[in-house]
Amino acid sequence: MCEILALKESVLIYLDRSGALEKLIEDCKSFDGPQQNDAVYRFYVRVSPTDLTEVDSVLGDFVLHNPRKATALFQSVCFLAIKTLSLVRKIHTENQVNVILKWTHLPPFPEYCLHLDTFPRGHVTMRPVLIEGLVVAMTRVTKYTGAARFLCTDDDCPAFTGFHHIRVHAPGATESATMRNDFICSMCSSPLKEDVKFRVLGGEISVKVIRMRFKKWKFLCEKMSVVVDKQLVELIHTKAIDALSAKQSSVRFQSVTFFLRDELCNSMRLGHLYSVVGIPAHVHQWPNITWSIEANGVRKLEREGPQNISNTLQELLQTTSSSPWRFSAILAHCFGLDVTPPGLYNTLKLVLLLSLVQTRAAAEETFHCLDLLIVTCDSLIVDRLMMYSLGFAPRGVRHRATGEMFASLCRDEHGTGNANIHAGSAFLASGGICMLGDLCFYQKDKLDTLESALESRHVSVFIPGRKYGEDSNDQLSFPVPCSFWALSDSTPSFHRPGRSVQAAVGAGDIGSVSMHLADAFGLVVQCQDEAGKDALATLTAHVLQQAVWPGEDLYPASIKLSCQDYKEILYCSS
């Protein structure tokens, strides 16, 4: 008993030092109005484990390793503060105070980081962990029961009235843990019945809205309920991004489901990287047990890259400063020497570099892109060169013609009956490049959807309400935050009689692609090598030399620009 009192005293000291006690007093002012009549009052307390450990090491250990017990301590102290200071007169029992701890950070130790590539196979304690991942699927925002008040059915029991039995949602709990019809009274063991008028759906936060009537010049104080609920999000490990670019890898990654509740809903977007602090939990849904994480805090991750440009590039820029084109020409000339010899496809290389520089996110909702359509009679070499360039993008995804380009729907596996929206290749390539390959392998409906997305930079996802448990249909719109690379094989058309090979750009043959789809791309490049047989012989010699001497420097006279040099200038330019 003395230990509990000492811990509560430490909680009070921390609340006072951190300013949380003052915030508690301010929050109680909005709850003590005459129209306020709730069963549960929610309070958010931001907790810094570092500062809390300095106040009391035992209390800091509770917060990091036993959050339920720590929450109960904070709840008891907040209730005593409210009753002592007479902040909310309608709070009669400790059960009416719902305290939610929000961790500001976790200690930077491996024990507090959960890596999805080394997923835990055994029992995982319910303590906060830090996870970094990529959003691959998410559901719509739906309602859940945050709290409910129950009354005893026995008239002589003290729990027949009052707020003695209140069920509040706990991390990892299902709806049945809060709402059931088989609860019994802890005082007399009689059945309990719910008082429906005090049910809290989601996080119903009562706020005061001041409105002014211009006719009578009066200020009216009205109460408005702002409802925010729950959302399910699936994350995969950040290392899985390399597998999306069609690189050969024997590693397989498993996604994990996060529950976002209340103010965290709609804080994550498809295809973006996030760092999430949450509590692992086993959700029991007979006969299955699913493993998920209750999110406590979400922070968006920014891509990391080189911060400085190498001395080689700086010297080259100073040497070529007399010409506005020489620096770019040299970069294109020396780019992709592992795929093609210098001097071939220089225009294509320059365009690919231009698209890599242009593809960037300038702000939270603004994205700059340059979509490329390459018309060529040698699709194999162009495809290899595009795949090589894809590795320099901040995120590159190789899309397959049989896969989903934008989004697909399926039923959620966690029993909510909601529609789960899975990200396609375009959303997984957010902030980068989505390489489509040869468009002749795509069906017409896929090409029509691509044309619409290129023109509007948005895609719509239709969700049938009858199939996913809703009364009406829904349609969601998502931005397309990536650039598209595609090619069109024009080999058959170039052999048609009377067709000029020297046609101007935009007037020549574009293969099997329609003119409307070609116009939707930002830039159409016709790769027609004028060298003819000499270019074929040079390319053949290049391939044979790489096969005989793998890893050797085939062009010692060329300017030495490594892959790291290109990554530095592309990252710093974007």
Side-chain angles (χ1 to χ4, degrees):
M1 187 64 182
C2 295
E3 295 180 357
I4 298 298
L5 292 176
L7 290 176
K8 289 183 179 181
E9 182 180 357
S10 299
V11 171
L12 184 60
I13 294 174
Y14 174 76
L15 293 178
D16 186 30
R17 291 182 180 180
S18 63
L21 186 59
E22 183 179 354
K23 183 179 181 299
L24 176 68
I25 297 174
E26 292 295 327
D27 293 340
C28 289
K29 292 181 180 179
S30 61
F31 293 148
D32 203 27
Q35 298 180 353
Q36 190 77 26
N37 190 19
D38 297 333
V40 179
Y41 297 84
R42 177 174 297 180
F43 300 93
Y44 292 95
V45 179
R46 297 186 63 85
V47 176
S48 173
T50 304
D51 299 339
L52 191 61
T53 304
E54 293 180 356
V55 175
D56 192 329
S57 59
V58 179
L59 182 60
D61 183 75
F62 279 158
V63 169
L64 292 175
H65 299 89
N66 196 342
R68 283 191 175 182
K69 189 172 184 179
T71 301
L73 291 174
F74 276 83
Q75 178 184 1
S76 178
V77 173
C78 290
F79 171 71
L80 291 176
I82 292 173
K83 297 302 292 183
T84 303
L85 301 176
S86 301
L87 299 178
V88 182
R89 291 169 294 179
K90 296 183 177 67
I91 293 181
H92 305 285
T93 63
E94 187 175 316
N95 298 330
Q96 293 181 262
V97 179
N98 182 20
V99 174
I100 299 178
L101 302 182
K102 291 289 184 179
W103 294 282
T104 58
H105 67 281
L106 293 180
F109 301 121
E111 293 78 10
Y112 299 97
C113 298
L114 181 61
H115 297 283
L116 299 182
D117 55 345
T118 57
F119 197 76
R121 299 176 181 269
H123 178 70
V124 181
T125 57
M126 288 192 60
R127 62 177 180 84
V129 292
L130 178 66
I131 298 179
E132 296 180 355
L134 174 72
V135 178
V136 295
M138 63 193 313
T139 65
R140 294 177 297 173
V141 178
T142 57
K143 295 181 179 181
Y144 78 102
T145 304
R149 175 196 182 191
F150 291 86
L151 300 175
C152 184
T153 54
D154 188 357
D155 299 349
D156 299 329
C157 181
F160 181 72
T161 59
F163 299 90
H164 300 280
H165 296 94
I166 294 180
R167 305 288 297 185
V168 180
H169 170 78
T174 59
E175 291 289 322
S176 60
T178 308
M179 297 296 302
R180 268 203 327 264
N181 54 7
D182 59 347
F183 293 127
I184 60 175
C185 180
S186 59
M187 298 181 181
C188 65
S189 299
S190 300
L192 296 178
K193 64 177 180 179
E194 182 194 0
D195 190 358
V196 182
K197 64 181 179 180
F198 284 100
R199 179 186 297 182
V200 179
L201 288 178
E204 291 189 353
I205 307 172
S206 298
V207 298
K208 293 181 178 179
V209 181
I210 304 298
R211 297 181 181 178
M212 184 176 67
R213 281 187 176 180
F214 290 98
K215 292 184 178 180
K216 297 184 179 180
W217 297 96
K218 287 185 177 181
F219 289 94
L220 301 179
C221 182
E222 300 179 358
K223 187 180 74 170
M224 181 180 66
S225 294
V226 181
V227 182
V228 285
D229 302 300
K230 73 174 179 180
Q231 186 179 29
L232 275 66
V233 175
E234 290 186 22
L235 267 71
I236 60 175
H237 194 270
T238 53
K239 294 182 180 179
I241 300 177
D242 296 334
L244 299 176
S245 59
K247 295 181 180 179
Q248 297 296 329
S249 176
S250 59
V251 182
R252 296 296 179 264
F253 296 92
Q254 176 67 40
S255 64
V256 63
T257 301
F258 283 79
F259 279 82
L260 305 182
R261 298 186 187 272
D262 306 333
E263 78 283 353
L264 294 181
C265 291
N266 293 324
S267 62
M268 307 175 75
R269 295 172 56 183
L270 287 174
H272 288 249
L273 291 170
Y274 295 93
S275 174
V276 185
V277 175
I279 302 178
H282 291 87
V283 180
H284 296 263
Q285 293 178 334
W286 184 261
N288 300 321
I289 298 178
T290 59
W291 194 88
S292 62
I293 296 179
E294 285 270 349
N296 185 269
V298 177
R299 180 175 62 88
K300 186 176 180 181
L301 290 179
E302 301 295 338
R303 67 184 181 98
E304 297 181 356
Q307 301 296 329
N308 300 318
I309 298 179
S310 63
N311 295 330
T312 304
L313 289 173
Q314 293 181 8
E315 294 174 359
L316 179 62
L317 180 60
Q318 293 178 359
T319 305
T320 59
S321 59
S322 59
S323 173
W325 305 104
R326 188 172 300 172
F327 180 74
S328 302
I330 293 176
L331 288 180
H333 183 80
C334 301
F335 184 67
L337 295 182
D338 297 336
V339 180
T340 59
L344 293 181
Y345 297 100
N346 280 349
T347 303
L348 175 59
K349 295 177 182 179
L350 181 61
V351 168
L352 292 174
L353 291 174
L354 179 61
S355 179
L356 289 173
V357 172
Q358 177 68 15
T359 301
R360 68 187 191 278
E364 182 68 22
E365 301 294 337
T366 305
F367 180 78
H368 301 279
C369 61
L370 179 58
D371 305 311
L372 301 181
L373 175 61
I374 313 300
V375 181
T376 179
C377 58
D378 193 352
S379 59
L380 177 61
I381 300 300
V382 172
D383 186 84
R384 290 182 60 195
L385 189 56
M386 294 171 69
M387 275 297 300
Y388 175 81
S389 306
L390 195 66
F392 294 91
R395 189 186 305 170
V397 175
R398 174 65 186 265
H399 176 68
R400 302 298 182 184
T402 56
E404 188 62 45
M405 189 180 306
F406 296 106
S408 59
L409 295 178
C410 70
R411 188 174 295 276
D412 173 56
E413 298 178 354
H414 290 77
T416 62
N418 198 8
N420 200 11
I421 306 172
H422 285 265
S425 299
F427 292 120
L428 295 178
S430 296
I433 306 295
C434 179
M435 181 179 168
L436 304 178
D438 198 342
L439 294 181
C440 69
F441 296 106
Y442 289 79
Q443 298 180 357
K444 186 179 182 303
D445 58 338
K446 299 287 186 179
L447 296 179
D448 292 341
T449 305
L450 174 62
E451 180 182 347
S452 175
L454 290 174
E455 292 177 348
S456 63
R457 304 305 305 182
H458 282 77
V459 293
S460 297
V461 179
F462 177 76
I463 303 177
R466 180 176 300 179
K467 183 177 180 180
Y468 296 104
E470 298 291 337
D471 297 333
S472 59
N473 300 329
D474 196 4
Q475 186 167 345
L476 304 179
S477 179
F478 297 93
V480 182
C482 72
S483 297
F484 291 94
W485 288 355
L487 64 91
S488 176
D489 192 350
S490 60
T491 301
S493 301
F494 274 101
H495 294 287
R496 296 177 186 175
R499 178 64 61 130
S500 174
V501 180
Q502 301 296 333
V505 175
D509 195 358
I510 55 176
S512 59
V513 180
S514 65
M515 289 299 299
H516 293 286
L517 178 57
D519 292 338
F521 281 87
L523 185 60
V524 179
V525 182
Q526 291 180 335
C527 292
Q528 300 172 9
D529 200 345
E530 299 178 357
K533 296 181 179 180
D534 296 336
L536 181 60
T538 304
L539 190 59
T540 303
H542 172 80
V543 175
L544 291 176
Q545 288 179 2
Q546 279 193 325
V548 176
W549 301 301
E552 295 290 334
D553 191 1
L554 304 180
Y555 310 101
S558 301
I559 299 177
K560 302 298 182 182
L561 293 177
S562 63
C563 294
Q564 182 65 22
D565 293 333
Y566 283 100
K567 289 181 179 180
E568 290 174 358
I569 191 171
L570 289 173
Y571 180 83
C572 295
S573 299
S574 59

